Amino acid sequence: MAAKIVYGKSKETGELVHISTVERGLSCNCVCPACGEDLVARKGTKMRHHFAHRGDVDGEGSKCTTAGETVVHYLAKEAFKKLKKVNLRVSTGIELLHDNNIKLDSSLRIPAEYRVECEIKEVLLEEPIPTLGIVPDVTIVTDKCTIYVEIYITHRVPDSKIRDYRRDGKLAIEIDFSRFR
């Protein structure tokens, strides 16, 4: 069974809104963040409150299969925008992670003596790297380096993209958010 959609995109503001903050039915004035189809806020008494595609409610069906992934992806990227500092391994540690294409996830803990704190100067979302022709999910520009972040929800970063990062000497990590879908 697919996960319930609990975030919709407001037609008025374009921002994600939680099911708890909108009126029921089509009065929610939301669309699916993945496909753009109208959403209906289902706020009855028997099931957990959630959004449904209007096509599903009208019996026409919806072809959208990525609404939950899109929302998790969006929320993960928005979380990065709120960061002020990031900890990295010092010198050889950064090179080791990069050279061995080690993917960081929440289970990896880097000992404090091997960390260097970097001040984040800018966080860019979906900013293309013209020299590579690729678009990382998040680009974190710090006072010491630039880090490219790929967010894994249902599909890992393709090997070809990893090769592109490495060939160009870019520091790139993949963060596993798959458990949130």
Side-chain angles (χ1 to χ4, degrees):
M1 178 179 206
K4 300 288 186 197
I5 304 169
V6 293
Y7 284 93
K9 187 174 180 181
S10 168
K11 290 182 183 179
E12 295 171 10
T13 66
E15 297 292 317
L16 285 185
V17 292
H18 191 266
I19 186 68
S20 65
T21 65
V22 299
E23 294 183 37
R24 69 183 294 174
L26 282 171
S27 297
C28 68
N29 203 25
C30 293
V31 295
C32 174
C35 70
E37 184 180 335
D38 282 340
L39 292 177
V40 176
R42 291 186 151 180
K43 299 178 86 169
T45 58
K46 294 182 181 177
M47 296 178 61
R48 189 177 90 198
H49 292 181
H50 64 280
F51 289 104
H53 287 87
R54 184 177 186 172
D56 289 339
V57 175
D58 293 344
E60 299 167 13
S62 174
K63 298 197 182 346
C64 184
T65 58
T66 61
E69 176 185 353
T70 300
V71 169
V72 171
H73 207 251
Y74 176 86
L75 292 173
K77 289 190 284 189
E78 287 298 310
F80 278 100
K81 286 175 39 177
K82 296 176 183 174
L83 289 177
K84 301 294 181 219
K85 294 184 181 191
V86 64
N87 286 311
L88 297 174
R89 282 188 173 213
V90 293
S91 157
T92 57
I94 293 173
E95 293 163 11
L96 177 68
L97 289 173
H98 180 238
D99 291 344
N100 291 290
N101 193 33
I102 294 173
K103 298 178 186 329
L104 295 179
D105 65 27
S106 61
S107 66
L108 180 62
R109 300 287 182 247
I110 300 171
E113 64 269 21
Y114 295 109
R115 294 182 194 165
V116 61
E117 189 172 85
C118 301
E119 183 179 330
I120 294 176
K121 300 291 186 185
E122 186 176 22
V123 175
L124 306 167
L125 304 180
E126 302 285 340
E127 183 73 24
I129 305 173
T131 58
L132 297 179
I134 59 177
V135 181
D137 292 321
V138 180
T139 301
I140 302 173
V141 180
T142 76
D143 56 343
K144 295 178 177 62
C145 64
T146 299
I147 307 160
Y148 299 98
V149 179
E150 296 292 345
I151 298 169
Y152 160 47
I153 296 171
T154 57
H155 300 31
R156 291 207 171 271
V157 177
D159 289 341
S160 60
K161 197 171 191 180
I162 292 169
R163 282 192 298 275
D164 288 342
Y165 281 124
R166 295 184 78 201
R167 183 178 64 245
D168 207 46
K170 306 287 188 207
L171 174 60
I173 60 174
E174 177 181 71
I175 300 179
D176 184 348
F177 279 86
S178 61
R179 69 178 175 271
F180 297 109
R181 58 183 165 131

